[in-house]
Amino acid sequence: MSQSIHFSTTSRTPHLLPLPHSRFHRPLTSLSFRQSPLKHTSIRASSSPDLDSSSSSSSQVLHSPNGSPAVKPEERSVVATATVSTETAGIEVDTVTEAELKENGFRSTRRTKLICTIGPATCGFEQLEALAEGGMNVARLNMCHGTREWHREVIRSVRRLNEEKGFAVAIMMDTEGSEIHMGDLGGEASAKSEDGEVWTFTVRAFDSSRPARTISVSYDGFAEDVRVGDELLVDGGMVRFEVIEKIGPDVKCLCTDPGLLLPRANLTFWRDGSLVRERNAMLPTISSKDWLDIDFGIAEGVDFIAVSFVKSAEVINHLKSYLAARSCGGDIGVIAKIESIDSLTNLEEIILASDGAMVARGDLGAQIPLEQVPAAQQRIVKVCRALNKPVIVASQLLESMIEYPTPTRAEVADVSEAVRQRSDALMLSGESAMGQFPDKALTVLRSVSLRIERWWREEKRYESTPLQPIGSSFTDRISEEICNSAAKMANNLGVDAVFVYTKDGHMASLVSRCRPDCPIFAFTTTTSVRRRLNLQWGLIPFRLSFSEDMESNLNKTFSLLKSRGMIKSGDLVIAVSDMLQSIQVMNVP
């Protein structure tokens, strides 16, 4: 026997309706559960949403994303397809997730998502495939580097990889921003600055080859704003100079901390221990070049746009309005990069307005004292979790692996802390873009994530993580309570997986926010939603055509997954849905 609770969206008083052949009808306060012969228990809050007619197609197409460890080389080229005779349904599953679930079960799946910045070291199709098989969930494109044609080729390679192999790798385009940057070093890939050398930073443009040890600067007021004695930080302090002389548009600087200079690196300057902002603070967050890049991203259908040096929520709202007007359905997520003093000052309103946030620790560490960066990171992660926005921890996670095949122990501890804080995603920058060992760096992120997640589950740490209510409407609060209850039940009952049927991804994100002990299978009808869900903690997104009949959806899903060996009879599953706002507990038949 199944039980059902219905909530009317026109009244705030819940009422119970008996199901056919059921005499269950008692007050909500005395609700009890009884397992039926079908081993199925159900609670449903009905809001009668309209359903897309396309969602009831008789042909169910199911996709799953990349998972954790890589598979055998001979399995890499497999494009898994199967036909379920009773459903006449096609299924496409990438070999990584399929192999992982078959061999090691639900508990082995990685929850923390991994982002790789794509560069010269990883832009080929084979390299991208290796990253996807190694655990890459999101491919990041840094618009500070490369031409739009180069980025277009990478985007199309990722899309081809998804289509041919069944992956759900999302694409994030990272804008350059209008802060002060170095030029392109005259076409050189990098330049080495040694201790005691004198370099010239200038706002002049060079028609011919630039003089030795000369760097162009993007900000016309640079020579006016700096003073002799100021400290100039390149790329968040990776190289440091002291201003020793000003000659017209040229600024002579003495190298005090040597290092590698890279094209388009960020520049900041300090005076008497404080960051000099002055005219720089008046620069627009989104530059004219950024708007052209954003138009390019819209045309290419990227999944996320990361905005650099966000100062206020107004910038995010403006961009989201622009995307809604220009893009198809306005379904591009906006990620706010928290990397400035202004970002920290207006943190809550910025995160509330955005679709996610990135802790850009490199540039952030150039604007606040280094010893404050860890506390700022923890604060940003907590605020994002509280407001149900995915959060990415980025910058210098495994910096040494740009040149060396193994990380430092301090870097491993840093990655472990980010995972322990329950961040949604970790991001590689130079390690994967230009490093000598991108695959090994990704392997380190994956293995450390898996180990710390297992420790977290063994310690039952989820029991001490209260979350504040965030629903703004009665219907939203119902969804939130259902997801909170589903996560709590999953932990208390030791279920194998939570199934979420969601059209826009919101219900899946609410379950992810609770960080349950088991993986979350998120079924959605839209390919773009599936890719965006691949950024969020614990979600294994599938694309599946489903109807408003939950019993039929569950039976079809069980049949599809069992045919691939991804679940088996007897597995305990909790299912929630944003179509009928329901929660159900059952064993796989």
Side-chain angles (χ1 to χ4, degrees), residues 35 38-40 558 568-573 585-589:
Q35 288 278 60
L38 295 177
K39 297 185 178 181
H40 175 111
F558 290 154
K568 61 183 184 299
S569 297
D571 286 338
L572 184 60
V573 171
V585 183
M586 70 216 73
N587 291 100
V588 177

Side-chain angles (χ1 to χ4, degrees), residues 300-474:
E300 293 298 322
V302 300
D303 301 291
F304 301 99
I305 293 178
V307 184
S308 299
F309 297 100
V310 176
K311 299 181 178 70
S312 67
E314 182 180 358
V315 174
I316 300 296
N317 291 328
H318 179 47
L319 175 57
K320 293 182 78 171
S321 297
Y322 183 80
L323 293 175
R326 294 294 187 97
S327 62
C328 181
D331 56 356
I332 298 177
V334 176
I335 305 296
K337 296 178 67 176
I338 310 301
E339 52 188 342
S340 67
I341 294 175
D342 293 314
S343 298
L344 292 176
T345 302
N346 304 310
L347 183 63
E348 284 78 8
E349 69 173 46
I350 289 173
I351 292 177
L352 190 62
S354 69
D355 299 306
M358 180 188 297
V359 189
R361 304 181 303 177
D363 289 317
L364 184 61
Q367 298 216 1
I368 64 175
L370 291 175
E371 63 272 16
Q372 295 181 16
V373 173
Q377 172 181 315
Q378 187 170 22
R379 178 192 169 203
I380 296 166
V381 171
K382 284 186 175 180
V383 171
C384 287
R385 175 92 179 275
L387 296 178
N388 193 31
K389 303 299 174 88
V391 59
I392 304 161
V393 174
S395 305
Q396 303 166 352
L397 286 173
L398 300 173
E399 188 80 3
S400 69
M401 292 193 73
I402 293 177
E403 299 184 44
Y404 301 100
T406 57
T408 66
R409 305 308 178 261
E411 288 171 337
V412 172
D414 181 37
V415 172
S416 300
E417 176 63 15
V419 177
R420 189 194 64 80
Q421 291 175 1
R422 315 295 264 172
S423 305
D424 287 86
L426 307 176
M427 191 179 91
L428 295 175
S429 299
E431 304 95 327
S432 58
M434 62 178 186
Q436 299 183 42
F437 309 98
D439 294 338
K440 290 185 177 180
L442 184 60
T443 298
V444 170
L445 285 191
R446 187 186 67 227
S447 59
V448 173
S449 298
L450 286 167
R451 180 63 190 90
I452 299 303
E453 290 166 0
R454 185 167 71 249
W455 167 81
W456 189 277
R457 292 192 295 272
E458 291 169 352
E459 294 294 319
K460 304 295 184 185
R461 299 299 297 271
Y462 54 77
E463 296 173 355
S464 59
T465 311
L467 295 172
Q468 65 185 39
I470 58 173
S472 58
S473 67
F474 184 54

Side-chain angles (χ1 to χ4, degrees), residues 493-528:
L493 299 176
V495 305
D496 294 296
V498 175
F499 284 13
V500 185
Y501 294 84
T502 175
K503 300 191 74 175
D504 59 8
H506 179 61
M507 202 88 161
S509 71
L510 288 173
V511 178
S512 171
R513 176 182 185 239
C514 298
R515 303 297 195 259
D517 203 9
C518 61
I520 307 161
F521 284 22
F523 301 96
T524 183
T525 58
T526 310
T527 301
S528 60

